[in-house]
Amino acid sequence: MNLSSNTKSNQAEVVYVVDDDEAVRDSLTWLLESNGYVVRCHASAERFLQSLQSTDKSTISCAILDVRMSGMSGLELQERLISENLPMPVAFITGHGDVSMAVSTMKRGAVDFIEKPFKENDLCALVDRMFAKARVDYSQASQRKVTQSLLSKLTGRERQVLERIVAGRLNKQIADDLGISIKTVEAHRANIMEKLNVNTVADLLRLALSDPQPN
């Protein structure tokens, strides 16, 4: 039995199973729960999407989707997750004839696909890989929020100075660019360092460049 690392974590971790075949849902639930995972099942893509509206956004999760379902298909669900900015790692359950279709889902960002009938070890290894990706994604998203919160403290002028620091401009060049004195540039630099809680220019650049939003 594979004791999943999520049983040791304080952070909630959930595997969603979305399949319109009750027997498949029951089989996956039994296999995953017996290996220590927390599982939530849904009989349709529509019900799954509805459930996410009331789900804690800090929940680290991944999803196992059936490629072919009545109503919204697994591929359409994958597109919805992407378009609605719900980028949890997903993998697909496929029949033998759906392999080429499953490959196309990987081009859209799916972690992998697993063919029926699947082996327990292969299934658990796949879920572990998805959780590993989900943890990294969650950590990066959290760091981006912290960075954006810090950058929001800067005044408009401080942002202009920061942009030029990131571009490699010297104090004199920044002063000329903005029509201010070198001492004023130095004062802005000091304020920027304090507000962003960094001690070196290297740390300042690392933080500024990690922000995906324009300064």
Side-chain angles (χ1 to χ4, degrees), residues 1-2 4 6 14-43 62-65 93 114 118-120 123-124 127:
M1 179 180 292
N2 171 46
S4 167
N6 71 309
V14 177
V15 185
Y16 293 106
V17 173
V18 186
D19 197 305
D20 59 359
D21 187 326
E22 184 177 4
V24 173
R25 293 198 306 273
D26 289 346
S27 175
L28 284 169
T29 299
W30 183 84
L31 283 173
L32 292 170
E33 288 185 344
S34 67
N35 280 277
Y37 300 97
V38 176
V39 183
R40 299 287 182 269
C41 287
H42 297 279
C62 62
I64 300 175
L65 315 176
I93 305 168
I114 188 166
F118 37 78
K119 296 179 181 178
E120 181 176 346
L123 177 65
C124 291
V127 171

Side-chain angles (χ1 to χ4, degrees), residues 101-115:
M101 187 184 300
V103 170
S104 71
T105 69
M106 293 183 67
K107 293 179 180 178
R108 295 184 178 93
V111 173
D112 208 340
F113 63 91
I114 188 166
E115 289 186 76

Side-chain angles (χ1 to χ4, degrees), residues 15-138:
V15 185
Y16 293 106
V17 173
V18 186
D19 197 305
D20 59 359
D21 187 326
E22 184 177 4
V24 173
R25 293 198 306 273
D26 289 346
S27 175
L28 284 169
T29 299
W30 183 84
L31 283 173
L32 292 170
E33 288 185 344
S34 67
N35 280 277
Y37 300 97
V38 176
V39 183
R40 299 287 182 269
C41 287
H42 297 279
S44 70
E46 291 84 357
R47 290 183 183 179
F48 172 55
L49 288 171
Q50 186 176 13
S51 75
L52 292 181
Q53 296 177 7
S54 58
T55 299
D56 184 352
K57 296 299 185 291
S58 68
T59 300
I60 292 176
S61 57
C62 62
I64 300 175
L65 315 176
D66 189 13
V67 170
R68 299 183 185 276
M69 292 186 285
S70 57
M72 186 186 299
S73 70
L75 277 72
E76 291 170 329
L77 174 55
Q78 182 186 25
E79 293 293 343
R80 282 285 297 275
L81 291 173
I82 294 170
S83 66
E84 295 184 14
N85 196 28
L86 297 167
M88 69 177 67
V90 300
F92 285 85
I93 305 168
T94 69
H96 178 69
D98 292 327
V99 173
S100 61
M101 187 184 300
V103 170
S104 71
T105 69
M106 293 183 67
K107 293 179 180 178
R108 295 184 178 93
V111 173
D112 208 340
F113 63 91
I114 188 166
E115 289 186 76
K116 303 173 186 176
F118 37 78
K119 296 179 181 178
E120 181 176 346
N121 288 343
D122 292 340
L123 177 65
C124 291
L126 174 56
V127 171
D128 284 342
R129 280 196 289 132
M130 288 197 289
F131 272 136
K133 184 178 187 304
R135 293 181 198 112
V136 171
D137 291 346
Y138 179 81

Side-chain angles (χ1 to χ4, degrees), residues 136-146 148:
V136 171
D137 291 346
Y138 179 81
S139 176
Q140 291 176 342
S142 297
Q143 184 56 51
R144 283 195 296 271
K145 288 180 181 178
V146 171
Q148 290 165 9

Side-chain angles (χ1 to χ4, degrees), residues 155-196:
T155 65
R157 178 64 86 187
E158 287 166 350
R159 283 178 174 271
Q160 291 176 330
V161 172
L162 177 59
E163 288 173 358
R164 286 159 176 79
I165 294 172
V166 171
R169 305 285 282 172
L170 302 175
N171 283 356
K172 184 179 185 307
Q173 293 172 316
I174 296 173
D176 291 341
D177 289 345
L178 300 178
I180 57 179
S181 69
I182 294 176
K183 285 188 176 181
T184 301
V185 173
E186 291 172 346
H188 283 314
R189 286 182 72 125
N191 288 338
I192 291 168
M193 301 282 279
E194 181 178 355
K195 288 182 178 180
L196 299 186

